[in-house]
Amino acid sequence: MEGAARYGGREYRPTFAQLFTNDPAEYMSKPRVMSVEATKALCEQLHCPDADVQYRAACDLADSLSGQPAWSQLPQDELQHAIDGLVRLLGGSRGGAQEAAAAVLASLASESAGSRQAIIDAGALPPLVRLLQPIDPPLENSLGVQRWAASTLRNLAAGGPSMQKALVAPDALPPLVQLLDSTSFEVQAVAAETLGLLAAGDSGIKEAIVEARAIRPLEQLLRGDRLHDAKEQTELQQRAARALGSLA
């Protein structure tokens, strides 16, 4: 099967719907181990002229996340090459490919300082910020795209002051604030957490968050609503409280 990765000695081709529908946490908890060779092959396929091959490669990389793909064993130039391909997919018009690419970038952003810098060097911030914004008519998997784009920014923000300043530069704050009003718990949660990480930075970033009018929607999350169950509501309140505490 063209573009298929091998897991446990067999070829496996998931549909992207299997990755992020129904219960993504349950699906992603199932172990899938990818070899260095398979990781390299899929990274190379991200640069294939065939858009379908690119899409399947991104999906297979996303599918391998819980099994820890062999990022740390890739030479830095090969890692940068893979990230360049993922960033290019962010700018496409296929929602599933954007979601898969953003999910892999979110994983990479949590790996190391080197991978975070490679994401910045690939020019990922402008397309990631664009994916946070609502589109009319909505793309396929719009909420999933927003969730994973915001997750990438969150993991970059966890990299410290230099990363946090880089995130503020491309005007990421207004769309992050807008996501606090999303109908999706996952999107709201990651937006609030990202703003909380940024709010813990220097005074200039705090002022920028306030100027982006984040206080009111964070306070609304703190008060609670009827859109989520009790567990989700508690988590949103905790994240909103941390962000507001850092801004105080």
Side-chain angles (χ1 to χ4, degrees), residues 229-239:
D229 63 32
K231 181 179 179 181
E232 291 175 344
Q233 190 58 62
T234 298
E235 185 170 346
L236 286 175
Q237 289 173 324
Q238 291 173 343
R239 295 189 187 196

Side-chain angles (χ1 to χ4, degrees), residues 99-130:
E99 188 177 4
V104 178
L105 287 171
S107 173
L108 282 164
S110 68
E111 284 285 317
S112 66
S115 62
R116 285 189 286 273
Q117 188 60 52
I119 291 170
I120 298 294
D121 292 343
L125 290 182
L128 284 169
V129 171
R130 283 196 296 272

Side-chain angles (χ1 to χ4, degrees), residues 35-103:
S35 68
V36 178
E37 293 74 17
T39 302
K40 288 183 176 181
L42 289 174
C43 289
E44 189 59 38
Q45 287 170 16
L46 294 171
H47 295 272
C48 177
D50 188 326
D52 287 335
V53 174
Q54 295 175 12
Y55 169 71
R56 293 197 301 267
C59 288
D60 278 339
L61 287 169
D63 182 50
S64 73
L65 294 181
S66 65
Q68 297 300 312
W71 301 123
S72 62
Q73 300 180 53
L74 293 182
Q76 186 62 31
D77 60 336
E78 292 186 21
L79 180 62
Q80 186 70 64
H81 188 58
I83 290 173
D84 290 342
L86 291 165
V87 171
R88 189 166 57 252
L89 285 178
L90 295 178
S93 59
R94 193 170 186 174
Q98 289 174 326
E99 188 177 4

Side-chain angles (χ1 to χ4, degrees), residues 13-224:
R13 167 73 56 224
T15 63
F16 198 72
Q18 288 178 291
L19 297 181
F20 300 113
T21 56
N22 298 324
D23 188 349
E26 178 182 353
Y27 184 79
M28 295 296 283
S29 69
K30 297 176 181 178
R32 283 168 289 280
V33 179
M34 182 177 285
S35 68
V36 178
E37 293 74 17
T39 302
K40 288 183 176 181
L42 289 174
C43 289
E44 189 59 38
Q45 287 170 16
L46 294 171
H47 295 272
C48 177
D50 188 326
D52 287 335
V53 174
Q54 295 175 12
Y55 169 71
R56 293 197 301 267
C59 288
D60 278 339
L61 287 169
D63 182 50
S64 73
L65 294 181
S66 65
Q68 297 300 312
W71 301 123
S72 62
Q73 300 180 53
L74 293 182
Q76 186 62 31
D77 60 336
E78 292 186 21
L79 180 62
Q80 186 70 64
H81 188 58
I83 290 173
D84 290 342
L86 291 165
V87 171
R88 189 166 57 252
L89 285 178
L90 295 178
S93 59
R94 193 170 186 174
Q98 289 174 326
E99 188 177 4
V104 178
L105 287 171
S107 173
L108 282 164
S110 68
E111 284 285 317
S112 66
S115 62
R116 285 189 286 273
Q117 188 60 52
I119 291 170
I120 298 294
D121 292 343
L125 290 182
L128 284 169
V129 171
R130 283 196 296 272
L131 292 179
L132 299 180
Q133 300 169 0
I135 298 176
D136 188 21
L139 286 174
E140 170 194 0
N141 302 334
S142 290
L143 290 176
V145 170
Q146 290 178 330
R147 173 191 176 188
W148 292 109
S151 294
T152 304
L153 296 180
R154 175 197 60 197
N155 292 342
L156 290 172
S162 63
M163 287 286 124
Q164 292 165 359
K165 290 179 180 178
L167 292 184
V168 176
D171 295 325
L173 294 179
L176 275 173
V177 172
Q178 288 181 348
L179 293 185
L180 296 174
D181 292 324
S182 173
T183 58
S184 164
F185 160 73
E186 290 83 4
V187 171
Q188 286 181 304
V190 71
E193 185 176 0
T194 305
L195 289 167
L197 287 168
L198 292 172
D202 63 30
S203 59
I205 295 178
K206 292 181 181 181
E207 291 175 5
I209 294 173
V210 173
E211 290 175 2
R213 301 182 178 181
I215 300 296
R216 183 174 179 179
L218 285 170
E219 288 177 340
Q220 288 175 336
L221 287 184
L222 192 59
R223 287 194 294 269

